[in-house]
Amino acid sequence: MPASAAVLVIDDDAVVRQFVELVLAQAGYSVSSVATAELGVKALQTARWDLVLLDINMPDMTGLEVLRLLRKYQKVKAAVMMMTARGDVATVREAMSHGADGYLVKPFGPQDLLKRVEAMLNPEKFRSPPPKGDDRQTVELD
């Protein structure tokens, strides 16, 4: 993890925000959080973030609406991982089609959170290597 990795948490649930902040701060991340989508959009306009953890179900604007806004108008370069209790295929598909880079279903534990955050911030470290035994040789036939 880069020492300067900045993570923004946008979630209306105070318990989730506090949990995520605590886990990520203890792991050495720079973490800030906001309770509304509107405050999240403002925070994204005023600072550089490496990763945004974005709840889908919020009262003022859904996380999917925020995601569409960020990708279409704000052109935020940060990776965005959706956090939600909605793990159905349609919601995951919709989030990914609007530019989400990852998806984390609530409830989640500290190890799962850290693993997903690290994978989002260091994707090259988590890419699968080519299959073993794939040392194909080209054979020319006469």
Side-chain angles (χ1 to χ4, degrees):
M1 165 200 67
S4 61
V7 180
L8 175 63
V9 180
I10 305 172
D11 197 311
D12 62 317
D13 186 328
V15 173
V16 171
R17 285 194 318 273
Q18 291 169 355
F19 171 75
V20 171
E21 281 187 48
L22 178 66
V23 170
L24 295 182
Q26 286 181 343
Y29 293 95
S30 173
V31 186
S32 294
S33 68
V34 294
T36 68
E38 182 182 348
L39 291 173
V41 170
K42 287 180 182 175
L44 286 161
Q45 293 172 336
T46 59
R48 185 190 68 78
W49 304 97
D50 298 301
L51 177 62
V52 178
L53 301 179
L54 179 58
D55 184 23
I56 288 183
N57 296 319
M58 293 185 286
D60 59 331
M61 184 186 315
T62 71
L64 293 173
E65 291 170 325
V66 173
L67 179 62
R68 280 187 224 110
L69 178 70
L70 295 178
R71 294 303 192 217
K72 186 173 182 179
Y73 300 107
Q74 305 298 325
K75 305 218 185 313
V76 172
K77 303 292 185 214
V80 177
M81 181 164 52
M82 306 307 290
M83 299 187 306
T84 184
R86 294 173 54 189
D88 60 282
V89 174
T91 304
V92 173
R93 220 179 256 148
E94 182 178 7
M96 301 308 268
S97 73
H98 288 292
D101 300 295
Y103 203 92
L104 184 59
V105 178
K106 297 175 187 176
F108 49 82
Q111 293 303 327
D112 193 27
L113 174 63
L114 287 171
K115 185 171 130 184
R116 296 285 185 93
V117 165
E118 188 171 334
M120 295 292 294
L121 292 170
N122 302 296
E124 64 284 345
K125 182 177 175 182
F126 290 88
R127 284 198 182 110
S128 299
K132 290 184 179 180
D134 197 18
D135 299 331
R136 298 180 188 161
Q137 296 179 357
T138 304
V139 177
E140 293 184 28
L141 301 174
D142 293 329

